[in-house]
């Protein structure tokens, strides 16, 4: 291809940007090398930055034409040189200083050197024999640094030639770390040469050789994860030799001199620039501490003074140079302290805060450009992995790995994190490290910032091979950041970590005692004693459940072995740990083969703890959960635990009715929806995500929904909507939107003939009621449509026409029936009929005036209810519904006010007890203080009633005297552990105060004196 044939398009396709000057520079390169354009253009196009590669090649040829031409004898040799200098201006600067070192690229680098090869080569560069160099001062530094950089450009050439540099990152990082260790070893040999002799800072050769001195690599150096240009974190340790007459104090003096000179040999300015910083500031006491300590001094410091982060820093400690045997003893001595550090108080939280401080300290204008420190960066991966290691490494030696990628693999293999998460973390970590490598390689300088200039990002895209353009690289990087940050937040902040870290040692042996494969746990007797000690009433049964859950070598059993020690603590913190563990076993048997169940418990924020609270606190929820096991997935999301709105329920019901042709199949689906949503509300109640008012509205909406859906299906199947209208009136707590768990649904049925005759319409209405009872019946979660509040009570017909209701109320209605209508609310059915029923009811329940006779009748009936309806033997002070100061007292008090004043005060025309009470306060019918006492009693009794159903899975109205049951109810009411007596005292005090208000306001009795003493 001639110069004239070189179009701008051709140059652009080759990767050039400065098209106006490229032709002239290519002409000069052709002239200086003797190659044709056809040879040079493909070679230059392989460079990350062809423009820079071309310009630097010309600089090399002009500066040292003979040497440069000699080292690019063929097109392949030229391609290697262009690829290196096109990705690394720092390498080109090295060649400009040392042109003879272009020989480093004479041959392709097809394999990475071993640590031994690198150590021998760099020791050779300073003429070291027996650990003492022949060279010293500037000559030694120059020789060492030139040899180091020669090896560095060879590693860069290998790295840039890789087909998959992401997958090859591990090997390159390990080789860079070995090269740094070799440089330290060679610099130490030079330091020994400079220390031997007489005069200031020099010591006898015998003493220098007798000084045992080790350089411990920390951080990335210790883990063999170094970048092209990293600070190398080190700690120095020394030891005297009593046999050689060298005391520890003398050894510290000599070792300190060796450490100082070793550092200078690496980074002090000289003819050949320094390599990187040697940073000894992770040593005990940091910059204020002694540069070198003996092994005993190190151990004493970590025993007494070290902070949590210092143990985390030791996680990757590895001997790099000097006396490797001493270095290994240092690591072995401190390793037990590292792996027990997570048991320190608030250890997990302190590590989490440390990561947050790192992010907070990033300058604002760098946060979004940080590859290393920013959100979704390398530190998110590293902190997550290290925290998981430190927590689980207390008891599992298999996760005690130095480098991040090996640790990730071990954590996944042992089930501490999911294999998919580990694979994603690993791939993203490698990708981010590759980007960091290429950024540092470009100028051989330490940087972790994504370039802001589009041209520089384009060069990075070409250097990494991750994307064809700057824009696409940024898209990929942002996706990685988002993914890494999400995984980091999920794993780094999951509550299991704090729980495992703080777990007593005895508890980690429970799964071993239960027969886990390879477990070194407690004996069965010890395990039973421990289970009894933490609160299990049947420790032998609990141990059997643990054995069933952890038996075998499957991944499922492995994950259960990790989860159970923590879950057992959480179960034990509940009111009924035995039932909780039993139900957990059943649930795990149902869901254990799914891909998400154990993963969710292990990885999600709070799901495992929430599950233990639900299972150990509620048989009602436990039994329902056994029928709907997949609902455990809701525990991962707070949004899923909140009550569904009536609108959402109506939409689902409409969809069900649209799918089913028969009322029976539609009703079956609707009953399943009701069970599901009641379970969701039970979760909300147990976990404190909903107030008693929200639960009442939710339960009302769920029950209304199933009745509405079933009624619609029945009417559609019968096809009689033209014959009659039909509606259901909610009464009692159903009408007041005040349902609790286990509440009956008090209802009345009403119809109105249309095309049908009265008798035919009545028969049709009776048939609808029969179908309703049949199709809403649910043995799994009973639904009782109670018609006991209808006119004439049990003696009245199940369903009446609107005219019959009107006639009855006009002629025969008793005061109690008017009172019952105060909570009548149209629930479902034909809208016109519901509106007309409200009109009929309003005439009865909101009389223009109520006479003294009627008021006395209300009071008489209330007294009779207290005397006759209270179950025989029941303590009136403990009955939640009919007892003194309980629900009925508050409701009758409010209903009497409504009967007396609702005609004049429209706001009192509400079916809600608490709303009516608030209106009474607003209209000065009840004092604020009295209303507060009544409200407190009503709320506590309502909550306790629902809590008793949740606890026992049975409906009950008497506050239990049994302390275990009372404790279970107290825990559901969010009392702390051991609060059974406190709940009892609170309830009796609250209802006593409410009863006093009731007696004074309802019966007109004088207030009794408050007990004293």
């Amino acid at each position: 291809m001639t110069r004239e044939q070189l179009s701008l398009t051709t140059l652009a396709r080759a990767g050039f940007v400065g098209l106006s000057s490229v032709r002239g520079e290519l002409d000069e390169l052709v002239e200086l090398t003797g190659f044709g354009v056809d040879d040079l253009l493909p070679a230059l196009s392989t460079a990350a930055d062809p423009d820079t590669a071309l310009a630097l090649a010309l600089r090399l040829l002009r500066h040292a034409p003979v040497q440069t031409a000699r080292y690019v004898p063929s097109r392949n040799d030229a391609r290697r040189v262009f690829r290196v200098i096109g990705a690394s201006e720092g390498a080109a600067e090295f060649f400009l200083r040392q042109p003879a070192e272009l020989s480093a690229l004479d041959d392709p680098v097809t394999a990475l050197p071993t640590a031994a090869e690198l150590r021998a080569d760099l020791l050779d560069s300073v003429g070291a024999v027996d650990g003492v160099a022949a060279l010293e001062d500037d000559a030694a530094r120059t020789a060492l640094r030139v040899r180091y950089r020669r090896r560095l450009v060879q590693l860069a050439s290998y790295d840039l030639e890789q087909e998959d540099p992401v997958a090859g990152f591990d090997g390159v990082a390990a080789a860079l770390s070995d090269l740094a260790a070799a440089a330290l070893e060679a610099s130490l040999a030079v330091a020994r040469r400079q220390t031997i002799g007489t005069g200031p800072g020099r010591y006898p050769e015998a003493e220098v050789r007798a000084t045992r001195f080790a350089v411990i690599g920390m951080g990335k150096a210790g883990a063999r994860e170094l970048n092209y240009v990293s600070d190398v974190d080190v700690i120095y340790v020394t030891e005297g030799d009593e046999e050689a007459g060298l005391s520890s104090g003398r050894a510290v003096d000599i070792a300190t001199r060796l450490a100082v000179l070793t550092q200078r040999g690496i980074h002090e300015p000289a003819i050949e620039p320094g390599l990187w910083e040697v940073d000894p500031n992770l040593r005990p006491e940091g910059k204020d501490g002694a540069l070198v300590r003996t092994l005993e001094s190190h151990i004493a410091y970590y025993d007494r003074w070290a902070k949590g982060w210092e143990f985390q820093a030791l996680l990757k400690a590895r001997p790099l140079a000097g006396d490797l045997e001493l270095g290994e003893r240092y690591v072995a001595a401190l390793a037990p302290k590292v792996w027990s550090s997570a048991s320190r108080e608030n250890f997990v939280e302190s590590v989490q805060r440390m990561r947050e401080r790192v992010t907070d300290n990033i300058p604002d204008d760098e946060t979004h450009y940080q590859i290393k420190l920013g959100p979704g960066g390398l530190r998110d991966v590293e902190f997550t992995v290290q925290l998981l290691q430190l927590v689980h490494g207390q008891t599992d030696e298999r996760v005690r790995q130095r480098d991040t990628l090996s640790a990730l693999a071990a954590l996944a293999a042992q089930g501490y994190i999911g294999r998919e998460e580990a694979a994603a973390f690993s791939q993203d970590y490698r990708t981010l490290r590759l980007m960091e490598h290429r950024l540092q390689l470009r100028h051989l300088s330490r940087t972790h910032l994504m370039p802001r200039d589009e041209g520089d990002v384009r060069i990075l895209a070409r250097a990494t091979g991750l994307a064809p353009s700057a824009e696409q690289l940024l898209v990929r990087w942002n996706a990685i950041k988002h993914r890494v940050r999400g995984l980091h937040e999920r794993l780094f902040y999951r509550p299991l970590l704090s729980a495992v870290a703080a777990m007593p040692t005895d508890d980690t042996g429970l799964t071993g005692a239960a027969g886990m494969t390879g477990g070194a746990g407690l004996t069965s007797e010890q395990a039973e004693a421990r289970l009894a000690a933490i609160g299990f009433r049947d420790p032998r049964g609990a141990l059997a459940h643990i054995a069933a859950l952890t038996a075998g070598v499957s991944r499922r059993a492995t994950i259960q072995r990790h989860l159970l020690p923590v879950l057992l603590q959480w179960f034990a913190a509940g009111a009924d740990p035995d039932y909780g563990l039993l139900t957990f076993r059943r649930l795990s048997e149902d869901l254990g083969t799914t891909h998400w169940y154990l993963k969710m418990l292990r990885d999600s924020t709070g799901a495992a703890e929430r599950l233990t609270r639900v299972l150990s606190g509620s048989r009602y929820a436990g039994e329902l959960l056994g029928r709907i096991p997949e609902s455990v997935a809701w525990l991962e999301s707070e949004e899923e635990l909140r009550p569904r709105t009536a609108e959402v329920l109506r939409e689902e019901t409409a969809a069900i009715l649209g799918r089913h042709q028969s009322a029976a199949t539609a009703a079956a689906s609707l009953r399943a929806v009701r069970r599901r949503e009641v379970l969701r509300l039970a979760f909300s109640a147990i976990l404190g995500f909903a107030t008693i008012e929200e639960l009442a509205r939710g339960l009302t909406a769920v029950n209304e929904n199933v009745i509405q859906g079933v009624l619609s299906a029945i009417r559609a199947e019968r096809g009689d909507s033209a014959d009659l209208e039909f509606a259901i009136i909610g009464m009692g707590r159903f009408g007041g939107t005040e349902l609790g768990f286990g509440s009956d649904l008090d209802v009345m049925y009403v119809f109105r003939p249309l095309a049908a005759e009265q008798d035919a319409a009545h028969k049709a209405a009776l048939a609808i009621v029969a179908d309703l009872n049949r199709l809403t019946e649910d043995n799994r979660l009973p639904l009782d449509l109670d018609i006991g509040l209808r006119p004439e009570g049990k003696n009245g017909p199940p369903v009446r026409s609107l005219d019959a209701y009107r006639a009855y109320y006009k002629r025969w209605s008793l005061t109690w029936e008017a009172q019952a209508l105060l909570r009548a609310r149209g629930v479902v059915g034909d809208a016109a009929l519901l509106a007309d029923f409200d009109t009929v009811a309003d005439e009865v329940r909101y009389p223009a005036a109520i006479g003294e006779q009627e008021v006395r009748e209300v009071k008489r009936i209330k007294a009779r209810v207290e005397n006759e309806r209270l179950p025989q033997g029941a303590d009136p002070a403990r009955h939640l519904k009919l007892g003194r100061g309980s629900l009925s007292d508050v409701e009758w008090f409010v209903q009497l006010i409504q009967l007396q004043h609702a005609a004049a005060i429209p706001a009192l025309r509400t079916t809600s007890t608490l709303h009516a009470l608030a209106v009474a306060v607003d209209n000065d019918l009840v004092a604020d203080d009295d209303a507060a006492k009544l409200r407190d009693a009503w709320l506590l009794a309502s909550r306790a009633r629902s809590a008793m159903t949740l606890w026992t899975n049975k409906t009950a109205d008497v506050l239990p005297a049994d302390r275990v049951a009372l404790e279970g109810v107290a825990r559901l009411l969010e009392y702390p552990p051991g609060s059974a007596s406190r709940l009892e005292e609170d309830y009796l005090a609250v209802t006593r105060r409410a009863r006093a208000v009731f007696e004074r306001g309802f019966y007109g009795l004088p207030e009794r004196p408050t007990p004293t003493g």
Side-chain angles (χ1 to χ4, degrees), residues 575-743:
D576 191 351
D578 297 86
Y579 178 77
L581 181 57
L582 168 64
T583 313
F584 177 73
R585 175 183 172 182
R586 292 172 181 165
L587 189 64
S588 295
E589 288 170 351
D590 287 338
L591 295 175
T593 56
T594 63
H595 71 283
W596 57 269
Y597 169 63
L598 292 175
K599 177 175 178 249
M600 179 196 73
L601 295 182
R602 180 190 58 201
D603 296 343
S604 75
T605 302
E609 190 204 6
R610 288 172 185 160
L611 180 61
T612 60
R613 286 174 61 191
V614 167
L615 297 183
S616 63
S618 172
R619 290 181 177 247
Y620 183 89
E623 295 304 311
L624 264 181
L625 187 55
R627 300 181 183 279
I628 318 171
E630 64 278 5
S631 60
V632 74
W634 302 337
L635 296 170
E636 192 172 14
S637 165
E638 289 189 12
E639 187 58 36
E640 291 285 352
L641 294 171
R642 300 193 184 281
R644 291 290 178 261
T645 64
E647 182 180 357
V648 170
L649 294 173
R650 282 195 296 269
E651 289 175 358
E652 184 175 12
T653 296
I656 289 171
L657 295 175
R659 289 197 304 269
H660 294 278
Q661 299 301 314
S662 95
T665 57
S669 295
L670 290 166
R671 291 195 302 270
V673 169
R674 174 175 174 267
R675 290 192 293 270
R676 184 195 71 202
E677 294 307 318
V678 169
L679 177 58
R680 191 192 308 277
L681 290 163
F683 283 175
S684 296
I686 297 163
L687 300 172
F689 284 103
T691 65
I692 188 68
E693 295 94 336
E694 290 170 332
L695 287 168
R697 289 194 295 270
L699 286 165
T700 302
V702 168
N703 284 292
E704 280 183 17
N705 180 69
V706 69
I707 295 170
Q708 174 68 69
V710 173
L711 179 60
S712 297
I714 291 169
R715 298 301 304 274
E717 189 171 76
R718 291 176 57 85
D720 58 3
S721 57
D723 295 335
L724 76 160
E725 292 177 321
F726 185 90
I728 302 174
I729 311 301
M731 303 291 286
R733 295 180 75 83
F734 187 29
T737 317
E738 296 166 348
L739 290 179
F741 292 103
S743 293

Side-chain angles (χ1 to χ4, degrees), residues 426-649:
S426 179
Q427 182 69 11
D428 289 340
Y429 182 73
R430 284 187 168 94
T431 304
L432 291 171
R433 289 299 308 273
L434 175 64
M435 293 167 66
E436 184 184 42
H437 270 197
R438 294 294 187 266
L439 283 170
Q440 296 190 357
L441 180 60
R442 189 172 180 198
H443 298 288
L444 286 182
S445 62
R446 189 168 175 263
T447 181
H448 311 286
L449 295 175
M450 175 66 74
R452 306 188 188 199
D453 178 75
E454 183 181 356
D456 291 334
V457 178
R458 171 184 166 275
I459 292 169
L460 179 61
R462 288 174 60 89
T464 57
L466 295 174
S469 69
E471 181 182 0
Q472 287 169 287
L473 179 63
L474 292 176
V475 168
R476 182 167 181 178
W477 178 47
N478 283 320
I480 289 172
K481 286 198 295 182
H482 179 75
R483 193 162 53 242
V484 166
R485 190 62 177 180
L487 276 172
H488 165 74
E489 289 177 342
R490 207 167 84 216
L491 300 177
F492 194 65
Y493 292 98
R494 70 186 188 197
L496 273 177
L497 289 174
S498 296
V500 172
M503 190 165 55
T505 306
D506 285 352
D507 292 354
T508 63
L510 290 173
T511 51
M516 117 183 175
T517 303
L522 309 172
T523 65
S524 294
E525 291 75 15
Q526 289 171 326
E528 287 180 24
R530 176 60 188 160
L531 287 167
I534 63 176
F536 284 86
R537 298 183 187 90
D538 179 14
R540 182 168 297 180
L543 201 59
H545 297 320
I546 295 169
L549 287 163
T550 59
V553 294
S554 67
R555 184 172 181 81
R556 177 174 59 175
T558 299
I559 295 173
Q560 288 280 21
R561 286 195 288 271
H562 300 327
L563 288 171
L564 272 169
V566 176
L567 297 184
L568 290 172
Q569 287 286 330
W570 286 337
F571 280 128
D576 191 351
D578 297 86
Y579 178 77
L581 181 57
L582 168 64
T583 313
F584 177 73
R585 175 183 172 182
R586 292 172 181 165
L587 189 64
S588 295
E589 288 170 351
D590 287 338
L591 295 175
T593 56
T594 63
H595 71 283
W596 57 269
Y597 169 63
L598 292 175
K599 177 175 178 249
M600 179 196 73
L601 295 182
R602 180 190 58 201
D603 296 343
S604 75
T605 302
E609 190 204 6
R610 288 172 185 160
L611 180 61
T612 60
R613 286 174 61 191
V614 167
L615 297 183
S616 63
S618 172
R619 290 181 177 247
Y620 183 89
E623 295 304 311
L624 264 181
L625 187 55
R627 300 181 183 279
I628 318 171
E630 64 278 5
S631 60
V632 74
W634 302 337
L635 296 170
E636 192 172 14
S637 165
E638 289 189 12
E639 187 58 36
E640 291 285 352
L641 294 171
R642 300 193 184 281
R644 291 290 178 261
T645 64
E647 182 180 357
V648 170
L649 294 173

